Amino acid sequence: RLFVPSLKDTFLESFRIGAAVHEGLLNDRKEFITEHFNSLTAENSMKFENLQPAEGEFDFTAGDRIVQFAKENGMSVRGHTLIWHAQTPKWIFYEDAEKKKLASKELLKARMAAHINTVVAHYQDSILCWDVVNEAIEDKGSTRLRHSLWSEIMGEEFIDYAFHLAHEANPAAQLFYNDYNESSPSKSAKIFETISGLLEREVPVHGVGLQAHWNVNAPSLDDIKRAIEKYASLGLRLHITEMDVSVFDFEDKNSSLLKPTEALLELQAERYEAFFKIFKSYRAHIDSVTFWGVDDAYTWLDNFPVHNRKNWPFLFDTESMPKPAFWRVIKTI
Ligand SMILES: Oc1ccccc1CN[C@@H]1C=C[C@@H](O)[C@H](O)[C@H]1O
């Protein structure tokens, strides 16, 4: 039998190693998950649409299963995510069930408060780290804020209010702003400016979540280092929150591969090694590195950006066995 060192034990002195999970994974991959990870994130179970699908109707069962598993296995849980423009039910943004008129700012604030207060109170100290706001920054052009029904109805202060609510609901929780393309020079400048504004207004934000949905081609190591330096200069904690390394460049829509080529696995291993060397060098600022899944058997990238195209973005293959990237990451200790 091959001796496979534990990922979480290898990095015990540096940062936690996390994985995004759904209930099925906890059943099918229990030993594998407890062997390699000491932090969990619910991939979907704690998103607005799953926790409060209809006003006043909360469903915590799937989220509770993940929290219970973490408790039983000495793992921490990252709460993902309280306020986001996606995977959020439409009812919250409209005056009534007719959905003809947008909700007033007061009504939306009240509903945001009800959601955050109920969810954070439900999990209390089982979850001591929340992605309070996810993806509020615009990727394209010079516009800083993404346009959403949150921003349209409440203005930029929807961000402030979400963080104040979460802090009131659990003052012990570490509150994160989370985003993707976080290493792009233009977007990291906007994220930096937005979080600087929050800090100036004394909004309780404690950390920046770098989703790290990277690939074999981008982003550059320099851009990653510069973005980490920028966020760290805010005096905030950093979490790598959704790491995967797609074997396709974002623009590459090729869907002919039935399995990754040796060349792609080697290139992916090079990239993972370089990424973890950077994380190690900034370990004073980075408290956790979470993968957006556990192994290549399932990834959200099997359907994004190309629907129904298999991807192989993790350190472990479809049988949970280590790939070349795993051995290169282990060597970076
Ligand atoms: O990389 C992106 C590009 C465009 C839109 C969203 C993203 C990333 N968006 C993430 C990915 C998967 C979801 O499960 C997470 O909740 C979300 O934070």
Side-chain angles (χ1 to χ4, degrees):
R1 249 191 61 72
L2 182 71
F3 173 68
V4 179
S6 157
L7 207 49
K8 70 169 186 330
D9 293 345
T10 302
F11 289 100
L12 214 50
E13 309 298 307
S14 300
F15 29 69
R16 286 182 178 274
I17 300 290
V21 294
H22 52 271
E23 199 164 352
L25 272 180
L26 300 184
N27 299 327
D28 302 348
R29 294 274 202 286
K30 178 178 173 6
E31 288 68 32
F32 173 68
I33 289 170
T34 55
E35 169 68 15
H36 290 293
F37 305 100
N38 49 19
S39 175
L40 295 181
T41 305
E43 184 181 7
N44 289 298
S45 322
M46 293 189 194
K47 287 172 180 172
F48 205 124
E49 67 179 5
N50 292 315
L51 287 184
Q52 193 184 180
E55 185 156 20
E57 293 173 28
F58 288 88
D59 178 4
F60 290 109
T61 28
D64 289 357
R65 176 86 181 73
I66 291 168
V67 164
Q68 189 52 36
F69 183 96
K71 269 200 178 101
E72 286 163 1
N73 296 287
M75 309 165 89
S76 60
V77 177
R78 300 195 77 261
H80 180 80
T81 179
L82 295 172
I83 299 301
W84 188 24
H85 63 279
Q87 295 185 259
T88 298
K90 288 280 166 282
W91 64 261
I92 190 170
F93 298 115
Y94 292 90
E95 195 69 28
D96 56 34
E98 301 281 298
K99 294 204 185 64
K100 292 230 178 343
K101 193 168 170 295
L102 283 183
S104 67
K105 181 172 177 177
E106 289 63 37
L107 179 56
L108 187 56
K109 285 181 73 170
R111 287 169 172 166
M112 178 192 274
H115 186 73
I116 291 177
N117 290 333
T118 307
V119 172
V120 175
H122 176 86
Y123 286 111
Q124 209 42 264
D125 290 358
S126 303
I127 297 182
L128 286 171
C129 162
W130 281 100
D131 288 337
V132 176
V133 172
N134 195 33
E135 306 177 358
I137 303 301
E138 173 54 44
D139 287 297
K140 295 178 287 302
S142 56
T143 314
R144 180 166 57 84
L145 277 188
R146 173 193 296 271
H147 173 268
S148 68
L149 287 171
W150 290 110
S151 67
E152 182 175 331
I153 296 169
M154 289 178 65
E156 176 166 2
E157 65 182 84
F158 86 91
I159 304 174
D160 299 45
Y161 192 53
F163 278 92
H164 281 300
L165 286 168
H167 185 60
E168 301 282 300
N170 186 352
Q174 276 194 317
L175 307 180
F176 279 71
Y177 173 77
N178 191 50
D179 215 327
Y180 67 89
N181 281 351
E182 73 298 309
S183 303
S184 118
S186 60
K187 191 166 181 185
S188 65
K190 296 179 193 177
I191 293 170
F192 180 85
E193 185 182 341
T194 302
I195 296 176
S196 299
L198 293 173
L199 294 171
E200 275 154 32
R201 298 190 295 273
E202 298 183 324
V203 173
V205 50
H206 311 115
V208 185
L210 294 77
Q211 289 187 12
H213 289 296
W214 296 337
N215 63 60
V216 288
N217 189 41
S220 74
L221 301 183
D222 264 359
D223 282 355
I224 294 169
K225 287 178 202 164
R226 287 202 189 97
I228 288 176
E229 294 271 358
K230 207 188 277 269
Y231 303 137
S233 76
L234 290 163
L236 300 183
R237 304 311 301 161
L238 306 186
H239 286 186
I240 305 298
T241 55
E242 308 185 12
M243 188 171 200
D244 39 38
V245 179
S246 169
V247 296
F248 304 105
D249 181 79
F250 192 76
E251 307 307 326
D252 175 0
K253 308 300 182 202
N254 168 14
S255 51
S256 63
L257 282 186
L258 296 178
K259 66 188 182 69
T261 63
E262 289 312 308
L264 275 175
L265 289 172
E266 184 50 35
L267 178 54
Q268 184 184 57
E270 295 280 329
R271 294 282 282 164
Y272 261 115
E273 180 175 16
F275 296 149
F276 269 79
K277 279 180 176 166
I278 291 172
F279 298 159
K280 290 283 299 190
S281 64
Y282 291 101
R283 65 182 176 286
H285 304 281
I286 297 172
D287 292 331
S288 66
V289 175
T290 294
F291 294 89
W292 207 242
V294 298
D295 63 30
D296 287 348
Y298 166 74
T299 165
W300 76 294
L301 298 172
D302 290 344
N303 289 298
F304 181 90
V306 176
H307 188 66
N308 216 7
R309 177 196 51 189
K310 187 76 192 105
N311 209 317
W312 303 274
F314 297 121
L315 300 181
F316 300 96
D317 67 17
T318 56
E319 312 289 317
S320 305
M321 295 307 285
K323 296 157 66 178
F326 172 87
W327 299 109
R328 302 285 281 276
V329 163
I330 288 294
K331 259 183 356 93
T332 62
I333 53 167

